[in-house]
Amino acid sequence: MKTLQIFLLACLFTIVSNNDAVAQSKKTETFDVSGNCGMCKSNIEKAAKSAGASYAAWNADSKKLTVKFANNTSTSKIQQKIAEAGYDNAGAKASDEAYNKLHGCCQYERKALSAKEKMDCCSNPTEQACCKESPAKDCCKKL
């Protein structure tokens, strides 16, 4: 009987240790995401979760998204998926095509890209070919 108690105690300790390790491997990030309304909130959070976030909460007043995720994804993957859904954010700009697909109430006022953002566009894998072919060309114009 004592052996069974020790075995059960060891199993419990192992389960608790594994849960702590999983909890510690989760990362939490907060970044800006453009949007307007409750529909935006739903779309942004859904896009973040489809990119691997286990938790996503967007605040319409502050325009901030908080995500929690494990090592199987990254902030940049989450930001790219949100941009694909039509929402500009701190790490990725939505294409005009994705933005134009948004419902009318979700079409937020877009800001122009800064000179630094235009220079940084060539680090975007989808823009690298354009930047190599013609460095003088404005490859980020569509962003």
Side-chain angles (χ1 to χ4, degrees), residues 60-93:
D61 295 327
S62 68
K63 310 290 187 216
K64 300 270 185 200
L65 174 70
T66 300
V67 291
K68 292 182 183 181
F69 56 94
N71 292 332
N72 61 341
T73 193
S74 65
T75 304
S76 62
K77 287 179 185 176
I78 293 169
Q79 290 171 332
Q80 184 59 42
K81 198 68 156 175
I82 292 167
E84 289 171 11
Y87 298 92
D88 295 343
N89 61 74
K93 299 291 181 193

PDB file of all heavy atoms in Angstrom, residues 60-93:
ATOM      1  N   ALA A  60     -10.324  47.503 -28.640  1.00  0.00           N
ATOM      2  CA  ALA A  60     -10.694  48.483 -29.668  1.00  0.00           C
ATOM      3  C   ALA A  60     -10.308  49.907 -29.290  1.00  0.00           C
ATOM      4  O   ALA A  60     -10.023  50.718 -30.169  1.00  0.00           O
ATOM      5  CB  ALA A  60     -12.197  48.413 -29.939  1.00  0.00           C
ATOM      6  N   ASP A  61     -10.283  50.233 -27.998  1.00  0.00           N
ATOM      7  CA  ASP A  61      -9.927  51.589 -27.572  1.00  0.00           C
ATOM      8  C   ASP A  61      -8.437  51.863 -27.710  1.00  0.00           C
ATOM      9  O   ASP A  61      -8.036  52.885 -28.247  1.00  0.00           O
ATOM     10  CB  ASP A  61     -10.372  51.824 -26.128  1.00  0.00           C
ATOM     11  CG  ASP A  61     -11.883  51.793 -25.973  1.00  0.00           C
ATOM     12  OD1 ASP A  61     -12.595  52.207 -26.923  1.00  0.00           O
ATOM     13  OD2 ASP A  61     -12.354  51.349 -24.914  1.00  0.00           O
ATOM     14  N   SER A  62      -7.616  50.942 -27.238  1.00  0.00           N
ATOM     15  CA  SER A  62      -6.162  51.145 -27.279  1.00  0.00           C
ATOM     16  C   SER A  62      -5.537  50.658 -28.580  1.00  0.00           C
ATOM     17  O   SER A  62      -4.385  50.963 -28.864  1.00  0.00           O
ATOM     18  CB  SER A  62      -5.495  50.426 -26.106  1.00  0.00           C
ATOM     19  OG  SER A  62      -5.608  49.018 -26.256  1.00  0.00           O
ATOM     20  N   LYS A  63      -6.294  49.857 -29.369  1.00  0.00           N
ATOM     21  CA  LYS A  63      -5.796  49.249 -30.615  1.00  0.00           C
ATOM     22  C   LYS A  63      -4.617  48.318 -30.354  1.00  0.00           C
ATOM     23  O   LYS A  63      -3.730  48.147 -31.184  1.00  0.00           O
ATOM     24  CB  LYS A  63      -5.381  50.310 -31.654  1.00  0.00           C
ATOM     25  CG  LYS A  63      -6.394  51.390 -31.911  1.00  0.00           C
ATOM     26  CD  LYS A  63      -7.600  50.884 -32.626  1.00  0.00           C
ATOM     27  CE  LYS A  63      -8.498  52.051 -33.016  1.00  0.00           C
ATOM     28  NZ  LYS A  63      -9.885  51.749 -32.925  1.00  0.00           N
ATOM     29  N   LYS A  64      -4.609  47.686 -29.180  1.00  0.00           N
ATOM     30  CA  LYS A  64      -3.534  46.771 -28.788  1.00  0.00           C
ATOM     31  C   LYS A  64      -4.058  45.340 -28.771  1.00  0.00           C
ATOM     32  O   LYS A  64      -5.165  45.071 -28.321  1.00  0.00           O
ATOM     33  CB  LYS A  64      -3.016  47.101 -27.384  1.00  0.00           C
ATOM     34  CG  LYS A  64      -2.455  48.497 -27.231  1.00  0.00           C
ATOM     35  CD  LYS A  64      -1.010  48.539 -27.539  1.00  0.00           C
ATOM     36  CE  LYS A  64      -0.461  49.935 -27.261  1.00  0.00           C
ATOM     37  NZ  LYS A  64       0.763  50.165 -27.957  1.00  0.00           N
ATOM     38  N   LEU A  65      -3.237  44.428 -29.271  1.00  0.00           N
ATOM     39  CA  LEU A  65      -3.538  43.008 -29.241  1.00  0.00           C
ATOM     40  C   LEU A  65      -2.542  42.332 -28.318  1.00  0.00           C
ATOM     41  O   LEU A  65      -1.332  42.536 -28.457  1.00  0.00           O
ATOM     42  CB  LEU A  65      -3.438  42.393 -30.646  1.00  0.00           C
ATOM     43  CG  LEU A  65      -3.606  40.877 -30.710  1.00  0.00           C
ATOM     44  CD1 LEU A  65      -5.049  40.472 -30.402  1.00  0.00           C
ATOM     45  CD2 LEU A  65      -3.191  40.352 -32.072  1.00  0.00           C
ATOM     46  N   THR A  66      -3.042  41.547 -27.397  1.00  0.00           N
ATOM     47  CA  THR A  66      -2.189  40.738 -26.530  1.00  0.00           C
ATOM     48  C   THR A  66      -2.378  39.287 -26.936  1.00  0.00           C
ATOM     49  O   THR A  66      -3.514  38.810 -27.032  1.00  0.00           O
ATOM     50  CB  THR A  66      -2.559  40.925 -25.046  1.00  0.00           C
ATOM     51  OG1 THR A  66      -2.380  42.311 -24.713  1.00  0.00           O
ATOM     52  CG2 THR A  66      -1.682  40.070 -24.148  1.00  0.00           C
ATOM     53  N   VAL A  67      -1.271  38.610 -27.201  1.00  0.00           N
ATOM     54  CA  VAL A  67      -1.309  37.207 -27.599  1.00  0.00           C
ATOM     55  C   VAL A  67      -0.395  36.393 -26.704  1.00  0.00           C
ATOM     56  O   VAL A  67       0.612  36.887 -26.203  1.00  0.00           O
ATOM     57  CB  VAL A  67      -0.886  37.006 -29.076  1.00  0.00           C
ATOM     58  CG1 VAL A  67      -1.912  37.566 -30.022  1.00  0.00           C
ATOM     59  CG2 VAL A  67       0.474  37.593 -29.360  1.00  0.00           C
ATOM     60  N   LYS A  68      -0.790  35.143 -26.517  1.00  0.00           N
ATOM     61  CA  LYS A  68       0.050  34.164 -25.830  1.00  0.00           C
ATOM     62  C   LYS A  68       0.240  33.021 -26.801  1.00  0.00           C
ATOM     63  O   LYS A  68      -0.705  32.597 -27.471  1.00  0.00           O
ATOM     64  CB  LYS A  68      -0.623  33.670 -24.549  1.00  0.00           C
ATOM     65  CG  LYS A  68      -0.731  34.739 -23.487  1.00  0.00           C
ATOM     66  CD  LYS A  68      -1.360  34.209 -22.220  1.00  0.00           C
ATOM     67  CE  LYS A  68      -1.512  35.347 -21.212  1.00  0.00           C
ATOM     68  NZ  LYS A  68      -2.088  34.907 -19.964  1.00  0.00           N
ATOM     69  N   PHE A  69       1.480  32.531 -26.872  1.00  0.00           N
ATOM     70  CA  PHE A  69       1.771  31.460 -27.818  1.00  0.00           C
ATOM     71  C   PHE A  69       2.970  30.648 -27.349  1.00  0.00           C
ATOM     72  O   PHE A  69       3.786  31.109 -26.552  1.00  0.00           O
ATOM     73  CB  PHE A  69       2.017  32.029 -29.220  1.00  0.00           C
ATOM     74  CG  PHE A  69       3.109  33.070 -29.285  1.00  0.00           C
ATOM     75  CD1 PHE A  69       4.407  32.725 -29.604  1.00  0.00           C
ATOM     76  CD2 PHE A  69       2.827  34.402 -29.022  1.00  0.00           C
ATOM     77  CE1 PHE A  69       5.405  33.681 -29.662  1.00  0.00           C
ATOM     78  CE2 PHE A  69       3.810  35.372 -29.084  1.00  0.00           C
ATOM     79  CZ  PHE A  69       5.112  35.009 -29.405  1.00  0.00           C
ATOM     80  N   ALA A  70       3.055  29.429 -27.860  1.00  0.00           N
ATOM     81  CA  ALA A  70       4.157  28.534 -27.534  1.00  0.00           C
ATOM     82  C   ALA A  70       5.245  28.654 -28.596  1.00  0.00           C
ATOM     83  O   ALA A  70       5.137  29.470 -29.522  1.00  0.00           O
ATOM     84  CB  ALA A  70       3.639  27.098 -27.444  1.00  0.00           C
ATOM     85  N   ASN A  71       6.247  27.826 -28.481  1.00  0.00           N
ATOM     86  CA  ASN A  71       7.392  27.887 -29.390  1.00  0.00           C
ATOM     87  C   ASN A  71       7.079  27.440 -30.814  1.00  0.00           C
ATOM     88  O   ASN A  71       7.910  27.585 -31.691  1.00  0.00           O
ATOM     89  CB  ASN A  71       8.540  27.040 -28.839  1.00  0.00           C
ATOM     90  CG  ASN A  71       9.124  27.636 -27.577  1.00  0.00           C
ATOM     91  OD1 ASN A  71       9.069  28.840 -27.378  1.00  0.00           O
ATOM     92  ND2 ASN A  71       9.664  26.791 -26.725  1.00  0.00           N
ATOM     93  N   ASN A  72       5.881  26.909 -31.063  1.00  0.00           N
ATOM     94  CA  ASN A  72       5.550  26.432 -32.402  1.00  0.00           C
ATOM     95  C   ASN A  72       5.140  27.555 -33.353  1.00  0.00           C
ATOM     96  O   ASN A  72       4.864  27.306 -34.523  1.00  0.00           O
ATOM     97  CB  ASN A  72       4.447  25.379 -32.341  1.00  0.00           C
ATOM     98  CG  ASN A  72       3.165  25.915 -31.743  1.00  0.00           C
ATOM     99  OD1 ASN A  72       3.161  26.926 -31.061  1.00  0.00           O
ATOM    100  ND2 ASN A  72       2.074  25.233 -31.997  1.00  0.00           N
ATOM    101  N   THR A  73       5.096  28.801 -32.874  1.00  0.00           N
ATOM    102  CA  THR A  73       4.801  29.951 -33.734  1.00  0.00           C
ATOM    103  C   THR A  73       5.649  31.132 -33.270  1.00  0.00           C
ATOM    104  O   THR A  73       6.500  30.981 -32.407  1.00  0.00           O
ATOM    105  CB  THR A  73       3.287  30.281 -33.741  1.00  0.00           C
ATOM    106  OG1 THR A  73       3.023  31.193 -34.811  1.00  0.00           O
ATOM    107  CG2 THR A  73       2.821  30.851 -32.427  1.00  0.00           C
ATOM    108  N   SER A  74       5.414  32.297 -33.849  1.00  0.00           N
ATOM    109  CA  SER A  74       6.188  33.481 -33.471  1.00  0.00           C
ATOM    110  C   SER A  74       5.314  34.720 -33.633  1.00  0.00           C
ATOM    111  O   SER A  74       4.259  34.676 -34.271  1.00  0.00           O
ATOM    112  CB  SER A  74       7.420  33.619 -34.371  1.00  0.00           C
ATOM    113  OG  SER A  74       7.023  33.871 -35.702  1.00  0.00           O
ATOM    114  N   THR A  75       5.780  35.814 -33.073  1.00  0.00           N
ATOM    115  CA  THR A  75       5.066  37.076 -33.210  1.00  0.00           C
ATOM    116  C   THR A  75       4.933  37.451 -34.674  1.00  0.00           C
ATOM    117  O   THR A  75       3.865  37.875 -35.120  1.00  0.00           O
ATOM    118  CB  THR A  75       5.809  38.197 -32.449  1.00  0.00           C
ATOM    119  OG1 THR A  75       5.973  37.801 -31.087  1.00  0.00           O
ATOM    120  CG2 THR A  75       5.042  39.500 -32.499  1.00  0.00           C
ATOM    121  N   SER A  76       5.997  37.279 -35.451  1.00  0.00           N
ATOM    122  CA  SER A  76       5.946  37.669 -36.868  1.00  0.00           C
ATOM    123  C   SER A  76       4.946  36.827 -37.654  1.00  0.00           C
ATOM    124  O   SER A  76       4.263  37.347 -38.543  1.00  0.00           O
ATOM    125  CB  SER A  76       7.332  37.614 -37.512  1.00  0.00           C
ATOM    126  OG  SER A  76       7.844  36.310 -37.481  1.00  0.00           O
ATOM    127  N   LYS A  77       4.820  35.544 -37.340  1.00  0.00           N
ATOM    128  CA  LYS A  77       3.823  34.701 -38.028  1.00  0.00           C
ATOM    129  C   LYS A  77       2.410  35.165 -37.685  1.00  0.00           C
ATOM    130  O   LYS A  77       1.539  35.210 -38.553  1.00  0.00           O
ATOM    131  CB  LYS A  77       3.999  33.232 -37.640  1.00  0.00           C
ATOM    132  CG  LYS A  77       5.201  32.578 -38.250  1.00  0.00           C
ATOM    133  CD  LYS A  77       5.316  31.137 -37.809  1.00  0.00           C
ATOM    134  CE  LYS A  77       6.593  30.501 -38.319  1.00  0.00           C
ATOM    135  NZ  LYS A  77       6.764  29.126 -37.828  1.00  0.00           N
ATOM    136  N   ILE A  78       2.202  35.508 -36.437  1.00  0.00           N
ATOM    137  CA  ILE A  78       0.892  35.993 -36.006  1.00  0.00           C
ATOM    138  C   ILE A  78       0.579  37.319 -36.691  1.00  0.00           C
ATOM    139  O   ILE A  78      -0.519  37.525 -37.214  1.00  0.00           O
ATOM    140  CB  ILE A  78       0.836  36.112 -34.471  1.00  0.00           C
ATOM    141  CG1 ILE A  78       0.923  34.710 -33.834  1.00  0.00           C
ATOM    142  CG2 ILE A  78      -0.421  36.844 -34.017  1.00  0.00           C
ATOM    143  CD1 ILE A  78       1.150  34.712 -32.329  1.00  0.00           C
ATOM    144  N   GLN A  79       1.555  38.227 -36.715  1.00  0.00           N
ATOM    145  CA  GLN A  79       1.352  39.530 -37.355  1.00  0.00           C
ATOM    146  C   GLN A  79       1.077  39.373 -38.848  1.00  0.00           C
ATOM    147  O   GLN A  79       0.229  40.080 -39.403  1.00  0.00           O
ATOM    148  CB  GLN A  79       2.566  40.427 -37.113  1.00  0.00           C
ATOM    149  CG  GLN A  79       2.682  40.858 -35.672  1.00  0.00           C
ATOM    150  CD  GLN A  79       3.983  41.562 -35.357  1.00  0.00           C
ATOM    151  OE1 GLN A  79       5.017  41.323 -35.985  1.00  0.00           O
ATOM    152  NE2 GLN A  79       3.950  42.444 -34.361  1.00  0.00           N
ATOM    153  N   GLN A  80       1.755  38.463 -39.514  1.00  0.00           N
ATOM    154  CA  GLN A  80       1.539  38.243 -40.940  1.00  0.00           C
ATOM    155  C   GLN A  80       0.132  37.720 -41.197  1.00  0.00           C
ATOM    156  O   GLN A  80      -0.542  38.161 -42.122  1.00  0.00           O
ATOM    157  CB  GLN A  80       2.588  37.269 -41.505  1.00  0.00           C
ATOM    158  CG  GLN A  80       2.481  37.077 -43.000  1.00  0.00           C
ATOM    159  CD  GLN A  80       2.637  38.364 -43.791  1.00  0.00           C
ATOM    160  OE1 GLN A  80       3.485  39.201 -43.490  1.00  0.00           O
ATOM    161  NE2 GLN A  80       1.813  38.536 -44.813  1.00  0.00           N
ATOM    162  N   LYS A  81      -0.336  36.801 -40.370  1.00  0.00           N
ATOM    163  CA  LYS A  81      -1.684  36.241 -40.541  1.00  0.00           C
ATOM    164  C   LYS A  81      -2.748  37.327 -40.329  1.00  0.00           C
ATOM    165  O   LYS A  81      -3.757  37.358 -41.047  1.00  0.00           O
ATOM    166  CB  LYS A  81      -1.877  35.090 -39.551  1.00  0.00           C
ATOM    167  CG  LYS A  81      -2.991  34.181 -39.900  1.00  0.00           C
ATOM    168  CD  LYS A  81      -2.664  33.409 -41.161  1.00  0.00           C
ATOM    169  CE  LYS A  81      -3.431  32.132 -41.243  1.00  0.00           C
ATOM    170  NZ  LYS A  81      -3.227  31.433 -42.488  1.00  0.00           N
ATOM    171  N   ILE A  82      -2.514  38.220 -39.382  1.00  0.00           N
ATOM    172  CA  ILE A  82      -3.441  39.328 -39.132  1.00  0.00           C
ATOM    173  C   ILE A  82      -3.455  40.267 -40.343  1.00  0.00           C
ATOM    174  O   ILE A  82      -4.512  40.739 -40.767  1.00  0.00           O
ATOM    175  CB  ILE A  82      -3.071  40.067 -37.834  1.00  0.00           C
ATOM    176  CG1 ILE A  82      -3.325  39.146 -36.630  1.00  0.00           C
ATOM    177  CG2 ILE A  82      -3.846  41.373 -37.690  1.00  0.00           C
ATOM    178  CD1 ILE A  82      -2.719  39.633 -35.338  1.00  0.00           C
ATOM    179  N   ALA A  83      -2.287  40.527 -40.926  1.00  0.00           N
ATOM    180  CA  ALA A  83      -2.207  41.372 -42.126  1.00  0.00           C
ATOM    181  C   ALA A  83      -2.941  40.711 -43.290  1.00  0.00           C
ATOM    182  O   ALA A  83      -3.622  41.388 -44.064  1.00  0.00           O
ATOM    183  CB  ALA A  83      -0.750  41.636 -42.490  1.00  0.00           C
ATOM    184  N   GLU A  84      -2.830  39.404 -43.415  1.00  0.00           N
ATOM    185  CA  GLU A  84      -3.540  38.681 -44.474  1.00  0.00           C
ATOM    186  C   GLU A  84      -5.052  38.807 -44.310  1.00  0.00           C
ATOM    187  O   GLU A  84      -5.794  38.741 -45.286  1.00  0.00           O
ATOM    188  CB  GLU A  84      -3.128  37.208 -44.483  1.00  0.00           C
ATOM    189  CG  GLU A  84      -1.712  36.990 -44.981  1.00  0.00           C
ATOM    190  CD  GLU A  84      -1.215  35.569 -44.782  1.00  0.00           C
ATOM    191  OE1 GLU A  84      -2.028  34.673 -44.434  1.00  0.00           O
ATOM    192  OE2 GLU A  84      -0.008  35.339 -44.982  1.00  0.00           O
ATOM    193  N   ALA A  85      -5.499  39.013 -43.062  1.00  0.00           N
ATOM    194  CA  ALA A  85      -6.928  39.203 -42.794  1.00  0.00           C
ATOM    195  C   ALA A  85      -7.359  40.641 -43.097  1.00  0.00           C
ATOM    196  O   ALA A  85      -8.545  40.950 -43.033  1.00  0.00           O
ATOM    197  CB  ALA A  85      -7.239  38.850 -41.344  1.00  0.00           C
ATOM    198  N   GLY A  86      -6.400  41.540 -43.387  1.00  0.00           N
ATOM    199  CA  GLY A  86      -6.725  42.907 -43.788  1.00  0.00           C
ATOM    200  C   GLY A  86      -6.376  43.985 -42.789  1.00  0.00           C
ATOM    201  O   GLY A  86      -6.702  45.153 -42.990  1.00  0.00           O
ATOM    202  N   TYR A  87      -5.674  43.632 -41.717  1.00  0.00           N
ATOM    203  CA  TYR A  87      -5.411  44.587 -40.641  1.00  0.00           C
ATOM    204  C   TYR A  87      -3.922  44.922 -40.536  1.00  0.00           C
ATOM    205  O   TYR A  87      -3.094  44.040 -40.281  1.00  0.00           O
ATOM    206  CB  TYR A  87      -5.918  44.034 -39.309  1.00  0.00           C
ATOM    207  CG  TYR A  87      -7.409  43.812 -39.327  1.00  0.00           C
ATOM    208  CD1 TYR A  87      -7.950  42.585 -39.694  1.00  0.00           C
ATOM    209  CD2 TYR A  87      -8.283  44.848 -39.020  1.00  0.00           C
ATOM    210  CE1 TYR A  87      -9.325  42.390 -39.746  1.00  0.00           C
ATOM    211  CE2 TYR A  87      -9.653  44.663 -39.067  1.00  0.00           C
ATOM    212  CZ  TYR A  87     -10.159  43.427 -39.435  1.00  0.00           C
ATOM    213  OH  TYR A  87     -11.524  43.250 -39.488  1.00  0.00           O
ATOM    214  N   ASP A  88      -3.594  46.212 -40.732  1.00  0.00           N
ATOM    215  CA  ASP A  88      -2.223  46.679 -40.524  1.00  0.00           C
ATOM    216  C   ASP A  88      -1.869  46.502 -39.054  1.00  0.00           C
ATOM    217  O   ASP A  88      -2.718  46.675 -38.174  1.00  0.00           O
ATOM    218  CB  ASP A  88      -2.089  48.161 -40.883  1.00  0.00           C
ATOM    219  CG  ASP A  88      -2.315  48.443 -42.362  1.00  0.00           C
ATOM    220  OD1 ASP A  88      -2.269  47.505 -43.176  1.00  0.00           O
ATOM    221  OD2 ASP A  88      -2.535  49.617 -42.699  1.00  0.00           O
ATOM    222  N   ASN A  89      -0.618  46.162 -38.795  1.00  0.00           N
ATOM    223  CA  ASN A  89      -0.177  46.001 -37.405  1.00  0.00           C
ATOM    224  C   ASN A  89       1.289  46.364 -37.283  1.00  0.00           C
ATOM    225  O   ASN A  89       1.913  46.745 -38.268  1.00  0.00           O
ATOM    226  CB  ASN A  89      -0.474  44.577 -36.907  1.00  0.00           C
ATOM    227  CG  ASN A  89       0.249  43.516 -37.707  1.00  0.00           C
ATOM    228  OD1 ASN A  89       1.444  43.336 -37.575  1.00  0.00           O
ATOM    229  ND2 ASN A  89      -0.496  42.812 -38.585  1.00  0.00           N
ATOM    230  N   ALA A  90       1.812  46.266 -36.090  1.00  0.00           N
ATOM    231  CA  ALA A  90       3.179  46.707 -35.813  1.00  0.00           C
ATOM    232  C   ALA A  90       4.227  45.951 -36.615  1.00  0.00           C
ATOM    233  O   ALA A  90       5.312  46.477 -36.846  1.00  0.00           O
ATOM    234  CB  ALA A  90       3.473  46.565 -34.314  1.00  0.00           C
ATOM    235  N   GLY A  91       3.919  44.749 -37.075  1.00  0.00           N
ATOM    236  CA  GLY A  91       4.922  43.959 -37.778  1.00  0.00           C
ATOM    237  C   GLY A  91       4.638  43.688 -39.233  1.00  0.00           C
ATOM    238  O   GLY A  91       5.516  43.219 -39.958  1.00  0.00           O
ATOM    239  N   ALA A  92       3.430  43.955 -39.694  1.00  0.00           N
ATOM    240  CA  ALA A  92       3.083  43.655 -41.086  1.00  0.00           C
ATOM    241  C   ALA A  92       1.948  44.558 -41.558  1.00  0.00           C
ATOM    242  O   ALA A  92       1.050  44.887 -40.781  1.00  0.00           O
ATOM    243  CB  ALA A  92       2.676  42.191 -41.225  1.00  0.00           C
ATOM    244  N   LYS A  93       2.018  44.948 -42.808  1.00  0.00           N
ATOM    245  CA  LYS A  93       0.973  45.778 -43.416  1.00  0.00           C
ATOM    246  C   LYS A  93       0.086  44.897 -44.283  1.00  0.00           C
ATOM    247  O   LYS A  93       0.570  44.033 -45.017  1.00  0.00           O
ATOM    248  CB  LYS A  93       1.580  46.882 -44.298  1.00  0.00           C
ATOM    249  CG  LYS A  93       2.470  47.840 -43.546  1.00  0.00           C
ATOM    250  CD  LYS A  93       1.667  48.682 -42.605  1.00  0.00           C
ATOM    251  CE  LYS A  93       2.570  49.649 -41.869  1.00  0.00           C
ATOM    252  NZ  LYS A  93       1.929  50.268 -40.744  1.00  0.00           N
TER     253      LYS A  93
END
